[in-house]
């Protein structure tokens, strides 16, 4: 089993920045992918960004140029630097990890961007 714990959410004004962190623990062999998803009120959970163990990244179009994902390495941590935040970035952000075809999720951290 892999446990994921997120931190770093909060309330920020539009145009501001936040940095999310996620630490993985438990019986870890190798996390193939780590990433961040978010769920806004009334909407489905969506991918924000992910990074493979080789450092390959993928971003949602809506966050390209504003968010940066890092980590996902042997330290089993992943970060999401969020700049130029917009009210539409508001939601619960979940850390996710994949190991040998199994997906794991954190409990989420709330991000609120005020206009």
């Amino acid at each position: 089993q892999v446990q994921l714990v997120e931190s770093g959410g909060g309330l920020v004004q539009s145009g501001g920045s936040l940095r999310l962190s996620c630490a993985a623990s438990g019986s870890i062999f190798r996390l193939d992918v780590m990433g961040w998803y978010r769920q806004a009120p009334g909407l489905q959970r969506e991918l924000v960004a992910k990074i493979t163990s080789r450092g390959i990244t993928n971003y949602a179009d809506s966050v390209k140029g504003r968010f940066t994902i890092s980590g996902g390495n042997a330290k089993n941590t992943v970060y999401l630097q969020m700049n130029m935040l917009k009210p539409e970035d508001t939601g619960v952000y979940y850390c996710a990890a994949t190991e040998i075809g199994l997906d794991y999720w954190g409990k989420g951290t709330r991000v609120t961007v005020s206009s």
Side-chain angles (χ1 to χ4, degrees), residues 51-90:
I51 184 168
T52 71
S53 58
R54 295 185 177 185
I56 299 171
T57 59
N58 186 31
Y59 295 91
D61 289 341
S62 60
V63 306
K64 285 180 180 177
R66 300 188 298 123
F67 291 11
T68 302
I69 190 169
S70 61
N73 50 24
K75 295 183 178 180
N76 296 324
T77 55
V78 67
Y79 306 95
L80 186 68
Q81 178 66 43
M82 305 186 293
N83 299 328
M84 296 182 286
L85 282 160
K86 305 175 181 180
E88 50 263 44
D89 294 319
T90 293

